[in-house]
Amino acid sequence: MDIQSFLDYRLDVLPFVFIAMVIALTVHEFAHAYSAYRFGDMTARREGRVTLDPRKHLDVLGTILIFIAGFGWAKPVPVNRGNFRNPRLMSIVVSALGPASNLLLGIIGLAAIVTLERMGFFQTYSGFRDAVSVFLNIFINLNFILLFFNLIPLPPLDGYRIVIELVPMRFRVRLQPYEQWGAFIFLLLVFIPPLRSVTINPLFETANSLAYNIYRLFHSIAV
């Protein structure tokens, strides 16, 4: 049995995948933790999550899924919305800043590629040039995937946390008993091909399309 068949990435690029994943997930969770702390909730700070140390954020299963399925997750940042001055608004902002951080990282990666292209960096062959190109493409792809992946409105993802703050309290109370099934439903969407083809795959296509359009925009500005 070929282990390669279980991986979404080629074996030879896994080190780049790991580095990109560590950066993307760490910054994502730091954005949650830092914003919650700045809004007055000390919960994440007490647990040592207001840090860019990846050891405080990475989740074993979520990390493994990066290699198997092409995306994953880190340990959720604990947030006590009761400590916020405006619980609903600030909870939405804290939740949204995680995906926003991945959008920012993806844009930084695209800006780096366009800048290096304008400098002629990719016009000559070298192992280092190829390594930089592979890493930046993986870094951009992974961050845009995490952007859309985390906006799926299923618990415990950020999209659900945003939606739950927008609906009336009576709906929130009705949804709470079903939150425990969110991760199970999501795994079904990921690993059952017919379901993935109509749910997860379109998100990935949208992520790739957005990245490409931003790349074209940067090129038009750089000309």
Side-chain angles (χ1 to χ4, degrees):
M1 184 175 293
D2 183 6
I3 189 174
Q4 180 74 61
S5 63
F6 289 97
L7 301 173
D8 196 73
Y9 296 96
R10 302 192 321 268
L11 288 173
D12 60 321
V13 303
L14 288 186
F16 299 115
V17 175
F18 180 75
I19 295 171
M21 173 204 65
V22 168
I23 297 172
L25 293 181
T26 297
V27 173
H28 179 107
E29 297 305 328
F30 171 77
H32 288 317
Y34 181 75
S35 58
Y37 163 65
R38 293 296 296 177
F39 287 153
D41 179 23
M42 300 294 292
T43 308
R45 183 176 176 83
R46 284 194 295 266
E47 296 194 11
R49 300 297 299 277
V50 186
T51 177
L52 288 172
D53 182 352
R55 296 173 297 178
K56 296 292 186 178
H57 300 297
L58 296 185
D59 174 82
V60 175
L61 178 58
T63 302
I64 292 173
L65 277 179
I66 286 285
F67 302 119
I68 296 176
F71 55 89
W73 56 78
K75 291 184 291 187
V77 168
V79 175
N80 184 351
R81 66 192 298 278
N83 292 324
F84 296 149
R85 185 171 61 254
N86 187 331
R88 175 167 289 189
L89 174 61
M90 292 181 177
S91 293
I92 292 173
V93 173
V94 169
S95 297
L97 282 177
S101 72
N102 292 123
L103 174 61
L104 177 60
L105 289 175
I107 290 174
I108 291 173
L110 287 167
I113 279 189
V114 172
T115 300
L116 291 173
E117 286 177 345
R118 301 296 294 178
M119 294 170 56
F121 179 78
F122 298 115
Q123 293 178 5
T124 58
Y125 173 80
S126 72
F128 177 70
R129 184 214 67 175
D130 286 350
V132 171
S133 177
V134 169
F135 171 75
L136 285 176
N137 278 281
I138 290 174
F139 182 77
I140 293 164
N141 177 264
L142 185 58
N143 273 287
F144 277 94
I145 286 175
L146 286 173
L147 162 65
F148 284 92
F149 162 67
N150 277 285
L151 290 177
I152 297 174
L154 283 175
L157 301 176
D158 298 325
Y160 178 80
R161 295 174 183 173
I162 294 172
V163 169
I164 206 68
E165 294 292 347
L166 294 174
V167 300
M169 179 60 69
R170 63 180 183 276
F171 290 114
R172 183 185 304 178
V173 173
R174 292 178 183 176
L175 288 172
Q176 284 178 344
Y178 303 100
E179 290 180 357
Q180 60 182 323
W181 299 104
F184 176 72
I185 294 171
F186 180 74
L187 290 175
L188 289 179
L189 297 179
V190 171
F191 290 107
I192 297 180
L195 295 178
R196 175 167 175 155
S197 66
V198 297
T199 56
I200 304 300
N201 288 349
L203 287 178
F204 285 7
E205 293 169 2
T206 302
N208 290 330
S209 177
L210 177 60
Y212 178 68
N213 286 328
I214 294 176
Y215 170 79
R216 292 181 58 190
L217 175 62
F218 281 174
H219 253 297
S220 67
I221 294 174
V223 172

